[in-house]
C-alpha cells in the first residue's frame, strides 16, 4: 500500500472521498489535458515540481483509500502531464521505503504523460487468474523449467519510455536476461477505457521491435473490467495483426438469472475458446505433448465469479 502522507488534507465537500488538494489540482487542470491526450472523463493533473514530488505519494494514498471505501470509484490511475525522466528519478529517490505509487506507464519526455495505476482487488484477481491458468497449462506440458514469469517488471522502451505490465512470461531458452522482453504480456484495466488499453498494447509492440537483441512481444492479452455493469472483456492481440484482436471474449451476467457471486452458470461467455498459439509464446514449433494454450468457456465463467467476489466489500 502507498505510504501514509505526513499531512492529510481535509476532505472536499463536493466529493466525500476526494481530498481538497487532489480536487483543487483536478479543477485547475480542467478538461483540456484529458481531451488533448484522449482521456476525456478522467482526471489528468500537472506533475508536481521536483522539489514537491512527494505530493505524488499523498495523491496515491488518497486514491488508495478511496478505492478501499468505494469499489465503484471510476478512476484507479493517477495521471500526470508535463512529466519528465527527472521527475521519475526524483520520485524514486524520495521513495525510501520501497512503496512506489503504482504500476507505471511513461510515454517519454517528448509526450510527458505518465500513469501510475493504483491496484484494485478485481484488477489483480483478473490478470493473476489468467496468468495462473496459462501457467497451469504450461506445467501440464512438462515445461515448468522452460519459462520465466516476469510479473510487473519495468521495461525500458525507445528513448525515455518506460512501462510495467501486470503479468508476462519469457520462454527459456532463448530469453532469460533482465532486459529480454516477454513474448506474452497481460494488461488489465478498471478505469481505463478499452481504447486506452489499446494504447498499452501498442506500447509493447512499438517498443520491442523484432530486430533488437532483447526480442519482441508477440502476444498481448487485455482485460477490461466494468464494475458497474458487471462485464469483463478479454482480447488477444498479436504483433503481426495489430488492426483487430484475433479473439474477443465477453463475460456478462445471464439475462434470465439473478446476480450470483458463487455460481458460474449465472454468467454468459461469448467468443470462447481463446487459443494462444504455442509457437508465439515459446518461439519454436510444437513437439511431443506441447499444445496451444486454450482458455475455455468454463475458465472465463469461473474467472468472472472470482473477480466479482473480490469486488465485494463486507
Amino acid at each position: 500500500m502507498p505510504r501514509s502522507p505526513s499531512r492529510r488534507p481535509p476532505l472536499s465537500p463536493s466529493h466525500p472521498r476526494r481530498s481538497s488538494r487532489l480536487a483543487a489540482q483536478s479543477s485547475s487542470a480542467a478538461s483540456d489535458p484529458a481531451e488533448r491526450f484522449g482521456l476525456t472523463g478522467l482526471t489528468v493533473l500537472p506533475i508536481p515540481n521536483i522539489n514537491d514530488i512527494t505530493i505524488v505519494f499523498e495523491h496515491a494514498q488518497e486514491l488508495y483509500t478511496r478505492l478501499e471505501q468505494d469499489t465503484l470509484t471510476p478512476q484507479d490511475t493517477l495521471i500526470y502531464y508535463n512529466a519528465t525522466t527527472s521527475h521519475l528519478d526524483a520520485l524514486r529517490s524520495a521513495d525510501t521505503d520501497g512503496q512506489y505509487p503504482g504500476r507505471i506507464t511513461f510515454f517519454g519526455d517528448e509526450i510527458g504523460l505518465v500513469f501510475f495505476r493504483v491496484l484494485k482487488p478485481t484488477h489483480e484477481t483478473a490478470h493473476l487468474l489468467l496468468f495462473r491458468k496459462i501457467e497451469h497449462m504450461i506445467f501440464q506440458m512438462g515445461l515448468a523449467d522452460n519459462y520465466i514469469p516476469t510479473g510487473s517488471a519495468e521495461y525500458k522502451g525507445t528513448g525515455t519510455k518506460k512501462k510495467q505490465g501486470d503479468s508476462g512470461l519469457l520462454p527459456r531458452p532463448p530469453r532469460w536476461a533482465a532486459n529480454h522482453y516477454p513474448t506474452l504480456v497481460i494488461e488489465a484495466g478498471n478505469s481505463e477505457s478499452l481504447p486506452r488499453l489499446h494504447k498499452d498494447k501498442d506500447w509493447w509492440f512499438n517498443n520491442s521491435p523484432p530486430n533488437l537483441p532483447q526480442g519482441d512481444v508477440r502476444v498481448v492479452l487485455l482485460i477490461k473490467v466494468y464494475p458497474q455493469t458487471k462485464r469483463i472483456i478479454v482480447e488477444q492481440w498479436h504483433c503481426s495483426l495489430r488492426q483487430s484482436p484475433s479473439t474477443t471474449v465477453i463475460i456478462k451476467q445471464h439475462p434470465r438469472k439473478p446476480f450470483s457471486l458463487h455460481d458460474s452458470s449465472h454468467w454468459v461467455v461469448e467468443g470462447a475458446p481463446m487459443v494462444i498459439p504455442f509457437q508465439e509464446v515459446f518461439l519454436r514449433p510444437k513437439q511431443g505433448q506441447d499444445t496451444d494454450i486454450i482458455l475455455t468457456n468454463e475458465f472465463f465463467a469461473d474467472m468472472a465469479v472470482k473477480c466479482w467476489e473480490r469486488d465485494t466489500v463486507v
Side-chain angles (χ1 to χ4, degrees), residues 15 17 65-74 120 313:
H15 193 303
R17 297 186 180 99
T65 301
R66 197 187 315 159
L67 292 170
E68 280 189 319
Q69 295 171 345
D70 183 359
T71 60
L72 296 182
T73 296
K120 296 177 73 172
V313 176

Side-chain angles (χ1 to χ4, degrees), residues 7-12 14-30 42-48 55-67 73 75-80 116 118:
R7 178 182 60 82
R8 190 145 182 85
L11 295 177
S12 166
S14 63
H15 193 303
R17 297 186 180 99
R18 173 174 290 176
S19 78
S20 60
R21 174 178 289 204
L22 192 53
Q25 289 205 27
S26 301
S27 175
S28 66
L42 297 178
T43 299
V44 182
L45 305 174
I47 190 79
I55 291 173
V56 173
F57 293 117
E58 297 186 23
H59 289 172
Q61 178 64 49
E62 294 163 20
L63 181 54
Y64 187 91
T65 301
R66 197 187 315 159
L67 292 170
T73 296
Q75 182 165 337
D76 59 3
T77 304
L78 294 171
I79 308 173
Y80 297 100
F116 297 105
V118 179

Side-chain angles (χ1 to χ4, degrees), residues 173-307:
R175 300 184 190 177
W176 46 268
N179 62 336
H180 278 153
Y181 270 89
T183 51
L184 181 144
V185 173
I186 301 174
E187 291 268 10
N190 286 291
S191 69
E192 292 174 284
S193 67
L194 199 53
R196 175 68 198 85
L197 277 174
H198 291 161
K199 292 183 183 296
D200 287 332
K201 169 262 300 180
D202 291 337
W203 193 102
W204 289 109
F205 290 150
N206 293 338
N207 286 276
S208 64
N211 58 323
L212 295 181
Q214 296 96 316
D216 57 334
V217 175
R218 299 293 186 90
V219 179
V220 176
L221 303 179
L222 301 179
I223 308 171
K224 171 60 182 152
V225 178
Y226 296 91
Q228 292 181 317
T229 58
K230 293 296 185 284
R231 285 190 308 141
I232 299 173
I233 294 178
V234 185
E235 294 182 341
Q236 179 180 191
W237 290 84
H238 293 265
C239 63
S240 58
L241 182 65
R242 301 197 193 184
Q243 298 306 309
S244 60
S246 63
T247 315
T248 300
V249 174
I250 301 174
I251 316 163
K252 57 188 178 181
Q253 187 178 344
H254 196 291
R256 294 185 298 278
K257 293 184 178 181
F259 177 79
S260 174
L261 286 175
H262 308 295
D263 189 345
S264 61
S265 69
H266 288 229
W267 297 94
V268 176
V269 178
E270 300 174 354
M274 176 177 286
V275 180
I276 304 171
F278 177 91
Q279 188 160 343
E280 291 285 86
V281 177
F282 284 94
L283 304 178
R284 63 170 178 80
K286 288 178 283 189
Q287 58 189 36
Q289 58 184 348
D290 299 339
T291 66
D292 292 330
I293 297 168
I294 301 174
L295 305 172
T296 64
N297 278 53
E298 291 75 18
F299 162 74
F300 285 114
D302 183 64
M303 173 181 168
V305 167
K306 291 173 179 173
C307 282

Side-chain angles (χ1 to χ4, degrees), residues 127-146:
H127 78 81
L128 287 171
L129 285 172
L130 182 53
F131 182 78
R132 284 181 59 192
K133 181 63 175 179
I134 293 170
E135 194 172 47
H136 176 70
M137 298 189 70
I138 291 173
F139 283 11
Q140 288 184 317
M141 297 179 220
L143 299 177
D145 294 329
N146 296 100

